[in-house]
Amino acid sequence: MEVEESTTHLKTTATGKISSNLFLLLFYLHLLVAAVLTIFLTIRGLVFSSRFNHHHHHFHPLHWYPPLLTSSACAAITAFSWHAATRCNPSKTIKAAFWLSPLLTFGAGILLLAIGSASGLATAAFVLIFALTQSLYACWIVPRLDYTTKILTVSLSTPPSHTPSLFVAVSLITGTTYSCFSLSGIGGATATWTRFDPLFIFVILLSLAWTMHVIKNVLHVTISRVSYTYFAHALEVGTRVAFKDTLKYSMGSVCIGSVLVPVLSVFRGLARAMNVASGDTDEFMFSCTNCYSGVAGRLVTYGNRWGFVHVGAYGKGFVQASMDTWEMFRRVGMESLIDSDLTGSFCFLCGVAGGSLCTLVGGSWALAVGSGHATEVSIYAFLIGYFMSRIAMSSPQACVSAYHVAFAENPQSLRFDSTIPDRIRELQRSQV
């Protein structure tokens, strides 16, 4: 049964509405400020380059913009390829991501070494260590890949009418357009490089990060609502209807979540790393590990990506949706299951792989033409590739989130197979 009209039930509290409207206003104001700043920097940089290029020979627009614009196009193509491959063959795509990402990251590190600048060498050291870490992680999580493959496959088993590819393409076009616009402002600031230009670049990068996360999460809320309605109620909501409702009712919550989720994810990731590093030791340097992990575990209750499902399905405020969702997971004993799911890691590695590929494209071009800004071009290309790939991969991640939330609400439903119950029993046996 297909539902063509809005079925969103608005359950946002008064406090949630105020905070959502406040963040939505801040988001639009920040877009306005970023647009004015970017246009100013672009025009100033082009004028400066045309008038004083013989005095300021370090910046050449033809050495800056073509590599980055090409990287942006590469990012969009790579991102959509990840999306299409995941929907066609989840198993092979997961394996490809876990092995391609370290290799591409290693290649990006070698490129930065070849550039040879001081900043390039420092960045290369970090990138090479990160590539090694990814390789070790890929070996460590092999036993957990089977469940991730199963849950991703069953989560993508939505009806034929659920076709998110069009909306993924629209989101990627929007992201590419905003990325190119932001890069023009960064290029203008790089051309003049006054005392305040590093600050201007930092502001533009923050704006880029927030905006790209908002684009990603708009798509996430849209797709998760369609999938959740199908798994929870055996109803089909049109993707177009869900998208319109997200823009009309949930933008404030999306803006809040786009700030909280990345920050809390980093915080929780650090807590996990500390737990792995400390093991069972009681040494002083690890004495705060349990406290830090406890705080991280508490904070994730107030902001997690699974909350986006209820944001789309019921129009809840993001924090309330996150709390309700996490409480359901606790009630049915799914906390350890959620932690063992590698879908988030898979999507993250797709982003890293896309970013590294764009670094190889843009950085190699900049190095070949002898640009003095090859390191900066490489870093900016990586950011664009990463953000674009994460936008595309929000679609399968949304389906997995919706499946987990729908199961937590009604574990006895005949619409679910044994994938989650079998995994819960397996985890319980391993903890005995």
Side-chain angles (χ1 to χ4, degrees):
M1 178 179 180
E2 184 172 356
V3 181
E4 289 295 340
E5 60 182 11
S6 173
T7 57
T8 299
H9 304 288
L10 299 180
K11 295 185 178 180
T12 308
T13 63
T15 304
K17 288 181 179 179
I18 293 175
S19 59
S20 295
N21 291 334
L22 176 61
F23 267 82
L24 183 59
L25 177 61
L26 288 175
F27 179 72
Y28 287 141
L29 286 177
H30 119 272
L31 282 181
L32 177 61
V33 172
V36 172
L37 177 61
T38 299
I39 292 172
F40 166 74
L41 293 175
T42 302
I43 296 175
R44 189 192 64 173
L46 291 175
V47 171
F48 185 87
S49 298
S50 62
R51 289 185 178 181
F52 305 105
N53 193 43
H54 59 287
H55 295 301
H56 192 79
H57 60 275
H58 294 292
F59 183 85
H60 300 279
L62 292 179
H63 293 174
W64 174 271
Y65 291 107
L68 285 174
L69 294 178
T70 302
S71 297
S72 298
C74 176
I77 295 171
T78 302
F80 193 82
S81 298
W82 279 123
H83 162 76
T86 302
R87 298 197 69 86
C88 292
N89 196 322
S91 177
K92 290 184 178 180
T93 307
I94 289 174
K95 294 177 181 178
F98 277 93
W99 291 108
L100 272 179
S101 183
L103 292 175
L104 290 172
T105 305
F106 181 78
I110 296 300
L111 173 64
L112 290 167
L113 283 177
I115 293 174
S117 65
S119 58
L121 293 176
T123 307
F126 171 80
V127 170
L128 292 174
I129 293 174
F130 184 50
L132 176 61
T133 303
Q134 290 181 69
S135 300
L136 296 175
Y137 181 72
C139 297
W140 180 55
I141 50 81
V142 167
R144 297 159 58 187
L145 285 179
D146 185 53
Y147 171 72
T148 301
T149 301
K150 288 180 180 179
I151 197 66
L152 185 58
T153 301
V154 72
S155 298
L156 293 175
S157 62
T158 46
S161 59
H162 174 39
T163 53
S165 296
L166 173 62
F167 294 90
V168 171
V170 171
S171 299
L172 290 175
I173 291 172
T174 305
T176 302
T177 302
Y178 192 79
S179 298
C180 294
F181 178 67
S182 299
L183 290 173
S184 67
I186 294 174
T190 305
T192 55
W193 205 251
T194 64
R195 180 188 306 176
F196 297 104
D197 282 330
L199 176 61
F200 293 154
I201 292 176
F202 179 72
V203 170
I204 292 176
L205 289 177
L206 280 182
S207 171
L208 176 66
W210 193 11
T211 303
M212 297 294 268
H213 274 99
V214 168
I215 295 172
K216 174 176 77 73
N217 290 327
V218 165
L219 185 62
H220 189 115
V221 170
T222 299
I223 302 303
S224 65
R225 179 188 170 193
V226 174
S227 298
Y228 168 84
T229 306
Y230 174 75
F231 289 126
H233 307 297
L235 297 175
E236 297 182 33
V237 176
T239 311
R240 188 184 301 274
V241 172
F243 181 70
K244 289 181 178 178
D245 284 348
T246 300
L247 296 180
K248 185 175 182 180
Y249 300 114
S250 303
M251 278 300 295
S253 295
V254 168
C255 292
I256 295 176
S258 299
V259 174
L260 290 182
V261 171
V263 174
L264 296 182
S265 296
V266 171
F267 196 73
R268 198 173 187 215
L270 291 174
R272 289 179 176 177
M274 289 178 64
N275 283 331
V276 172
S278 63
D280 297 325
T281 183
D282 293 326
E283 294 181 12
F284 175 76
M285 64 180 297
F286 296 116
S287 61
C288 62
T289 299
N290 291 334
C291 177
Y292 189 84
S293 299
V295 173
R298 183 62 178 171
L299 287 177
V300 76
T301 304
Y302 301 102
N304 54 73
R305 68 175 184 269
W306 299 281
F308 284 121
V309 179
H310 276 187
V311 168
Y314 301 115
K316 293 181 181 180
F318 176 73
V319 175
Q320 186 63 51
S322 298
M323 294 172 63
D324 292 346
T325 302
W326 200 255
E327 181 58 33
M328 284 192 306
F329 289 157
R330 286 176 176 169
R331 187 170 60 247
V332 297
M334 287 178 59
E335 306 104 301
S336 58
L337 174 76
I338 293 300
D339 288 337
S340 71
D341 177 32
L342 295 174
T343 305
S345 299
F346 163 57
C347 295
F348 172 76
L349 290 178
C350 288
V352 174
S356 298
L357 180 61
C358 292
T359 293
L360 291 171
V361 172
S364 299
W365 186 332
L367 180 62
V369 298
S371 172
H373 298 281
T375 301
E376 292 92 326
V377 168
S378 300
I379 293 174
Y380 297 143
F382 173 85
L383 292 175
I384 299 305
Y386 172 79
F387 286 134
M388 295 291 286
S389 293
R390 291 307 305 268
I391 288 174
M393 294 308 294
S394 65
S395 173
Q397 193 169 20
C399 293
V400 172
S401 297
Y403 190 88
H404 278 106
V405 172
F407 179 86
E409 288 186 349
N410 187 10
Q412 308 304 322
S413 174
L414 298 178
R415 286 186 288 273
F416 302 105
D417 63 11
S418 62
T419 300
I420 291 181
D422 289 347
R423 181 58 176 170
I424 292 177
R425 285 191 291 268
E426 181 182 344
L427 291 172
Q428 290 173 342
R429 286 195 300 267
S430 65
Q431 294 172 357
V432 174

